[in-house]
Amino acid sequence: MHELEFYSYHNRLRRWPWSEKCALGLTGLVLVHRLEQPLAQLGLSLFFSVVVWRVASIPLSAWLRFLAFSVSFILFGSLLTLLASNAPSQANWSRAGLLFTRSLAGLSVVGFLVWTTPAAEWCSHLRSLGIPRNLADIAMTMVAMIGVTSSSLRKLRTTSRCRCGDRNFRIEIGNLSLVLAAFQSRLAAQASRWELSLQLRGGMGGLSVPVKAGPFHSWLWLALSLVWGLMVCI
């Protein structure tokens, strides 16, 4: 989670206009729905992976770890689809393969959006679209606290093991209560620091922050227009 948040602020596509990234992502999702060939879905996933790696300059290892975390769930769902049929046949295998490649392509499209745009900017853009401020702030808080929670628990768990707190089951359970108590106080302190840092960055009565976008790219809109035109004609 911390890796994703770091690279969402430090990539070459961060200053691209939000509308351009959303248009590219929306086009990708429509293609995920329209394409019926597994190879085409894999090609779409490869395209967005190359965009994240080469254009946004996000390390390939970080991107592959992001995909690998979700591929296991996608593979499990595809296997369940295959096993749900009474007698696995060629059509069922094809259906399971298409489900896997389509899910992978959709994950790549959504990953492109979240890895190139910070969560704080998503909150600001959601408010500009008319989403109530409270709902946008709740979504922003949930995303941010995932990283805070995982980091705090990891550090406290490491401290617990350094104190030999896992020698037997009784000590482990007693030490777990101490970890949870320390976690609650540390989480409150980090939330307070997070609110202060947000105010210093220009937060105005909410979690949204000012966003300064770069220039528009006319060639991208032309390319997307051609893709949409082809989808309409086919």
Side-chain angles (χ1 to χ4, degrees), residues 27-206:
T27 303
L29 291 177
V30 172
L31 288 174
V32 168
H33 177 72
R34 291 287 301 274
L35 297 176
E36 297 293 339
Q37 296 79 18
L39 288 180
Q41 300 283 0
L42 289 177
L44 186 63
S45 177
L46 180 62
F47 169 77
F48 279 95
S49 298
V50 171
V51 170
V52 171
W53 174 37
R54 302 299 296 177
V55 181
S57 294
I58 294 175
L60 183 61
S61 57
W63 175 252
L64 291 179
R65 281 193 296 270
F66 166 76
L67 292 180
F69 179 77
S70 301
V71 162
S72 58
F73 296 96
I74 297 175
L75 183 61
F76 182 71
S78 301
L79 290 177
L80 285 181
T81 302
L82 181 63
L83 295 176
S85 57
N86 296 327
S89 60
Q90 184 66 29
N92 293 331
W93 279 100
S94 301
R95 188 181 301 110
L98 180 60
L99 175 63
F100 176 81
T101 55
R102 175 169 287 172
S103 301
L104 182 61
L107 176 65
S108 301
V109 175
V110 176
F112 158 75
L113 294 174
V114 300
W115 278 81
T116 56
T117 306
E121 295 185 10
W122 278 105
C123 180
S124 300
H125 293 307
L126 287 176
R127 288 192 58 189
S128 66
L129 293 177
I131 303 297
R133 188 184 70 181
N134 292 337
L135 294 180
D137 288 352
I138 289 174
M140 174 62 190
T141 302
M142 293 175 61
V143 172
M145 294 311 291
I146 290 175
V148 173
T149 302
S150 61
S151 176
S152 298
L153 287 176
R154 191 183 308 113
K155 292 178 181 178
L156 290 172
R157 180 61 178 167
T158 302
T159 304
S160 171
R161 289 184 175 180
C162 291
R163 295 172 54 236
C164 301
D166 54 353
R167 287 176 295 179
N168 56 54
F169 182 74
R170 179 188 297 180
I171 296 179
E172 178 71 13
I173 294 300
N175 209 40
L176 179 62
S177 62
L178 297 177
V179 169
L180 293 177
F183 168 70
Q184 183 178 2
S185 60
R186 176 172 292 189
L187 190 63
Q190 289 184 341
S192 178
R193 290 196 296 267
W194 181 51
E195 181 182 5
L196 177 61
S197 64
L198 184 68
Q199 293 175 356
L200 294 176
R201 289 168 54 199
M204 302 295 292

